[in-house]
Amino acid sequence: MASTEEIRSDLAEIVNEIAGIPVEDVQLDKSFTDDLDVDSLSMVEVVVAAEEKFDVKIPDDEVKNLKTVGDAVAFIERGLNG
Amino acid sequence: MTGITASSGSTHAGVLGIGSYRPRRVVPNSEIIEQIDSSDEWIQTRSGIKERRWASDDETVLMMSVEAAKDALKESGIDPAQIGCVVVSTVTHLYQTPAIATQIAVAVGAPTAAAFDVSAACAGFCYGIALASDMVRGGSAKYVLAIGVERLSDLTDRNDRGTAFIFADGAGAAVVGPADEPGIGPVVWGSDGTQHAVISQKESWQEAAGSQNWPNLTMEGNPVFRWASYEMAKTAQQALDVAGVPAEELDLFVPHQANMRITDAMRRALKLPEHVKVARDIERQGNTSAASIPLAITAMREAGEAKSGDLALIIGFGAGLVYAAQVIRLP
């Protein structure tokens, strides 16, 4: 079972690759749009990459609820462990 | 019993000529931003668009089509009277009937050709090429004129932050006819009507009839971006596979010019080799729906990026949702 920190770390790699954000900035309390400057289209790319990486489904309707890195990590955890 | 004689066409079909028409008026982002409370930088970051062309009153769907068709016919060397069918893809010919194709046929010198319009939105050009190829090979027409034309500025809500900066106007045309070798690969096409609402006219003409406003186009950006960037990359790959053309042999990638971010995401997903030149006409032309692929091809030729004999992967995708992709050899 992947730990919260492992998921955050893998997600940080994805955000870094797509949006060029330093991995150390991608912390649980950070907002994708306000703190990390990930725009809505990059967010779609992050979501698709995360779906592949973690083998979970993140529906379009759900994406708008993933405001912080912590929201996304929690959603992925639920998908993996639920 | 008397049998029916079957039609017979050419073994192979190819694109014999391509032409395009760009409206005269250049509309920079600075003309758009005030009404949508945006900035040049925001538009460029979200779409890659620096400027677009919007048609003036005299640059009608008919006029732009005819100009594009003349160029395509000239390059093909075909006498217009030999055109057996005119297929026009458009969503901005504002008559339910008759089709604009019949007037175009008359204007280009093919007055008795079969003629009809196709409603396949941004996939329209690739749908037209697929139909044309099959007509030539099936024997229902020896030469086909396939046109993609739009005046999307007529249906654009200038106050809509999501679409006002995207849509634009123009026309493109191709002459398809018999060829010694296959010049058009098998089409990979389809639709997904469950997503009919993600890009759509906001209301029917009947609903709009009583109001001062035209029935503008509306689009849900994120679902469209996701579908176009990832699902369409798979379709594009299938078109390469069924044509038997490995990416290493490809010269050009010319996706519908919807958004530079979609083009970039598709290019990454397809893992195209560095040498494959990628169409980026959207920067100067905006999204012209059915016209964008031939407009992009002619721009690449003018820039010296594309030449006769090049293998191009073309893919159109849009409202419906509908999509079509094939590999073509440039005339």
Side-chain angles (χ1 to χ4, degrees), chain B residues 67-91:
Chain B
E67 291 302 312
K70 280 181 184 166
D71 284 353
L73 283 161
K74 190 175 169 194
E75 183 180 37
S76 74
I78 302 303
D79 175 357
Q82 288 192 275
I83 296 290
C85 186
V86 177
V87 183
V88 180
S89 295
T90 184
V91 297

Side-chain angles (χ1 to χ4, degrees), chain B residues 88-312:
Chain B
V88 180
S89 295
T90 184
V91 297
T92 46
H93 168 56
L94 302 178
Y95 283 79
Q96 220 74 58
T97 196
I100 191 67
T102 59
Q103 293 170 67
I104 293 170
V106 170
V108 300
T112 60
F116 61 97
D117 294 356
V118 168
S119 177
C122 305
F125 184 73
C126 293
Y127 267 59
I129 293 293
L131 292 171
S133 174
D134 286 355
M135 283 186 229
V136 170
R137 295 175 60 235
S140 50
K142 187 170 184 186
Y143 297 99
V144 179
L145 178 60
I147 293 172
V149 58
E150 300 294 1
R151 272 180 64 113
L152 290 171
S153 61
D154 287 339
L155 295 182
T156 299
D157 178 353
R158 306 285 166 92
N159 297 306
D160 177 14
R161 274 197 115 211
T163 59
F165 61 93
I166 292 179
F167 296 130
D169 308 335
V175 174
V176 174
D180 295 333
E181 301 283 332
I184 300 169
V187 66
V188 177
W189 61 352
S191 69
D192 177 6
T194 66
Q195 298 201 68
H196 67 93
V198 297
I199 314 170
S200 174
Q201 191 171 309
K202 269 182 199 159
E203 54 201 344
S204 71
W205 289 105
Q206 186 182 25
E207 288 162 334
S211 81
Q212 294 293 309
N213 299 318
W214 289 58
N216 296 310
L217 299 173
T218 178
M219 176 165 67
E220 294 177 37
N222 288 358
V224 171
F225 178 75
R226 181 173 180 150
W227 172 77
S229 299
Y230 298 98
E231 294 307 312
M232 290 303 96
K234 294 175 199 163
T235 299
Q237 182 62 52
Q238 286 167 14
L240 284 177
D241 294 344
V242 296
V245 175
E248 294 71 38
E249 300 296 319
L250 195 64
D251 298 298
L252 311 168
F253 176 47
V254 190
H256 161 52
Q257 301 289 287
N259 184 318
M260 195 79 87
R261 299 276 292 270
I262 291 173
T263 298
D264 285 332
M266 288 177 84
R267 183 182 54 80
R268 282 196 297 274
L270 280 166
K271 299 184 172 62
L272 292 177
E274 283 293 311
H275 76 267
V276 176
K277 296 184 184 73
V278 179
R280 299 193 177 281
D281 195 39
I282 189 160
E283 189 176 290
R284 300 281 171 211
Q285 181 66 45
N287 174 340
T288 56
S289 188
S292 82
I293 290 172
L295 277 163
I297 290 172
T298 54
M300 293 176 94
R301 295 203 297 200
E302 284 159 19
E305 294 177 325
K307 60 184 186 309
S308 177
D310 277 356
L311 285 174

